Amino acid sequence: DQHGLYLLVKTAGKYFRYEYSYAGKRKTLALGVYPELTLAKAREILPIIEAPENWEKEAMTNRTLRSMIRIEEARQKIVRTT
């Protein structure tokens, strides 16, 4: 799609992935399973993933990414209700 985002299609299901380079090595993050994670939501979280402050020390792990997404979703819910 954009910025390394793609949908991996396997017989077991469809999975959103994000491919990037870090320290000269190609890496892949598992973002989520389609249809639980929609293309619109996957595109929405790309700026969180690509923010420079998230890459200062080391490559993100899938667990770190999921935590960041949950925090951002909670923040957005709070903003919408206030």
Side-chain angles (χ1 to χ4, degrees), residues 23-77:
K25 296 182 181 180
R26 290 177 66 170
K27 306 275 186 173
T28 303
L29 286 176
L31 301 181
V33 179
Y34 177 84
E36 289 88 23
L37 179 66
T38 64
L39 177 58
K41 185 65 177 173
R43 286 177 175 164
E44 193 176 299
I45 61 174
L46 279 180
I48 300 167
I49 298 167
E50 294 177 333
E53 61 269 16
N54 296 328
W55 299 99
E56 287 178 356
K57 295 187 179 180
E58 59 186 59
M60 241 184 294
T61 64
N62 285 338
R63 180 179 294 161
T64 303
L65 173 64
R66 287 191 296 271
S67 295
M68 290 170 55
I69 292 168
R70 283 193 300 273
I71 291 167
E72 180 62 18
E73 286 174 343
R75 186 193 66 74
Q76 288 177 2
K77 286 179 185 175

Side-chain angles (χ1 to χ4, degrees), residues 2-36:
Q2 60 183 1
H3 304 277
L5 177 65
Y6 66 96
L7 185 67
L8 176 64
V9 179
K10 292 188 164 195
T11 54
K14 299 175 183 176
Y15 310 91
F16 279 104
R17 299 286 191 255
Y18 174 71
E19 192 170 276
Y20 64 98
S21 294
Y22 184 80
K25 296 182 181 180
R26 290 177 66 170
K27 306 275 186 173
T28 303
L29 286 176
L31 301 181
V33 179
Y34 177 84
E36 289 88 23

